Amino acid sequence: MKRTRIKICGLTREADVLAAVEAGADAIGFVLYAKSGRYVTPARAAELAKLLPPFVTPVGLFVNASADELQAGLAALPNMLVQFHGDESPQDCERVGRPFMRAARMEPGFDLLDYAQQYSAAQAVLLDAHVEGYGGGGKVFDWSLIPKNLGSPLVLSGGLHAGNVQAGIARARPWAVDVSSGVEAQGRGLKCAVLMREFCEAVRQADALTEEQSRNLRDSP
């Protein structure tokens, strides 16, 4: 059965990291963008990442970072997957010399196929809503804007929560989903263990439903 991977982003506390792992997260995102309410320093991200067991990936989110800021993050988290969420060019992303994801800010008229081709070196393209500012705004975009056969692994983000992630998976068939505000109950960067568990359970239920539908199609005369 195809398993949709789960990234929980914007963690700032030890208890939340442990709860996210217990819930079933495959990746934990640390926001290394000082203007974000979920910002953690590279040193703090490294402390939190020490709690991750094998095969749970730390992800560092950068927005138009300077060379020094990038280097500080890379040094603190040597096994980190880099997520570029600003205006970085393909050359900027590739120059880091690390595996990376590239965020795309979705809106009507945006040519995602061309964008994915430009960033063909990316491990995946993360789709988020186009909002003012950077780093994600907790808004759902129009999933009908997602073309078929993108050619790159797709990470669906933008306003996801336990109540809508199954519909998003059914519509986009992503490689992974990314949640942040949808598992917060007390404020930015403060995750809720119950909401994280419910989100992960909803993803697993979506996978099971997809597998059942595929099996029915295979078995039909």
Side-chain angles (χ1 to χ4, degrees):
M1 182 177 74
K2 177 186 180 297
R3 184 171 71 83
T4 305
R5 273 64 176 178
I6 300 169
K7 172 175 173 271
I8 300 179
C9 193
L11 282 82
T12 61
R13 303 184 298 186
E14 285 84 352
D16 294 344
V17 172
L18 295 173
V21 170
E22 179 67 22
D26 299 283
I28 301 297
F30 302 113
V31 179
L32 303 174
Y33 174 50
K35 293 183 180 180
S36 170
R38 302 180 180 95
Y39 171 69
V40 291
T41 65
R44 177 61 174 155
E47 290 177 359
L48 295 171
K50 289 178 181 178
L51 301 173
L52 300 180
F55 310 118
V56 176
T57 304
V59 180
L61 187 155
F62 294 89
V63 177
N64 300 330
S66 68
D68 288 344
E69 289 169 335
L70 277 169
Q71 187 54 46
L74 296 172
L77 294 164
N79 62 333
M80 164 180 68
L81 176 68
V82 180
Q83 178 178 328
F84 289 107
H85 223 291
D87 303 309
E88 298 88 358
S89 69
Q91 294 75 25
D92 292 334
C93 297
E94 294 172 34
R95 192 176 297 124
V96 173
R98 291 277 190 91
F100 70 92
M101 287 195 299
R102 185 66 175 98
R105 293 146 61 84
M106 298 296 292
E107 61 180 340
F110 179 73
D111 189 341
L112 182 58
L113 289 174
D114 178 67
Y115 188 85
Q117 186 174 22
Q118 291 182 50
Y119 292 92
S120 59
Q123 299 286 305
V125 175
L126 182 147
L127 307 186
D128 204 350
H130 192 286
V131 297
E132 292 296 323
Y134 297 96
K139 304 294 184 182
V140 178
F141 66 90
D142 182 357
W143 295 330
S144 70
L145 298 174
I146 304 173
K148 295 182 179 179
N149 303 318
L150 183 60
S152 298
L154 168 65
V155 180
L156 183 64
S157 185
L160 295 178
H161 51 74
N164 67 5
V165 69
Q166 292 188 26
I169 291 172
R171 176 64 181 82
R173 294 288 194 265
W175 167 259
V177 291
D178 184 347
V179 65
S180 186
S181 60
V183 292
E184 292 175 344
Q186 300 175 322
R188 284 178 174 262
L190 307 179
K191 307 305 184 188
C192 171
V194 172
L195 293 178
M196 288 191 287
R197 184 176 68 251
E198 290 176 349
F199 183 84
C200 293
E201 289 174 350
V203 174
R204 298 285 79 85
Q205 291 168 6
D207 288 346
L209 180 59
T210 298
E211 175 62 17
E212 181 181 357
Q213 292 171 341
S214 298
R215 187 184 308 114
N216 291 338
L217 287 173
R218 292 194 301 268
D219 294 343
S220 62

